[in-house]
Amino acid sequence: MHEMSIVMSIMETVEKECRKQQADEVESIELDIGMISGVEMEAFYFAWDAGTAKSILQKTTLKINRPPAKAECTVCGKTFIAQSSFDACPECGNPFCSIISGKELRIKRIVVIKN
Ligand SMILES: [Zn+2]
């Protein structure tokens, strides 16, 4: 499952960060998961619960931001909110617009507790 491997890689990053900061608890973690990142949220939450059980992230508050998909027209330069990677420009109809955000999949913030 795609989402489980995402959770696993987040956990790896968090564990590294905890070692670096010599913390053994994580208060909260904030993620950016873009609207068109391809992550299935239901599957992600399921993977998160399963993957973080009995781990350092078991009691961590999970906050998820969903940046909207923004596209920029390569012809007229208009930026607009897209529903998918293949939306045409609402201004001039150009079907080849470039996605400038919404595909994010990153850890925005990790708050650790130092004992
Ligand atoms: Zn356009």
Side-chain angles (χ1 to χ4, degrees):
M1 190 167 69
H2 175 58
E3 282 73 14
M4 187 51 98
S5 61
I6 297 168
V7 170
M8 289 301 151
S9 84
I10 291 170
M11 284 179 61
E12 248 170 64
T13 307
V14 170
E15 277 162 15
K16 252 184 240 165
E17 187 62 30
C18 283
R19 271 200 298 275
K20 207 167 76 186
Q21 300 204 36
Q22 297 179 323
D24 46 24
E25 263 183 90
V26 183
E27 185 180 282
S28 65
I29 182 164
E30 190 173 344
L31 309 174
D32 281 345
I33 301 179
M35 289 303 281
I36 51 167
S37 59
V39 176
E40 198 60 64
M41 290 318 288
E42 210 173 303
F44 181 83
Y45 284 119
F46 181 81
W48 180 266
D49 287 344
T52 59
K54 297 192 182 102
S55 82
I56 195 166
L57 288 172
Q58 192 176 3
K59 290 178 189 158
T60 301
T61 306
L62 175 65
K63 182 168 186 254
I64 296 178
N65 306 312
R66 307 292 322 269
K70 267 194 213 147
E72 184 176 34
C73 178
T74 51
V75 174
C76 72
K78 185 179 173 60
T79 56
F80 59 96
I81 300 292
Q83 301 307 317
S84 77
S85 312
F86 312 105
D87 280 22
C89 173
E91 200 70 22
C92 71
N94 167 32
F96 306 106
C97 298
S98 37
I99 295 293
I100 50 178
S101 72
K103 287 187 173 176
E104 299 84 347
L105 182 54
R106 64 177 170 228
I107 299 173
K108 198 174 177 194
R109 213 150 66 105
I110 301 171
V111 181
V112 299
I113 301 169
K114 289 187 198 179
N115 288 327

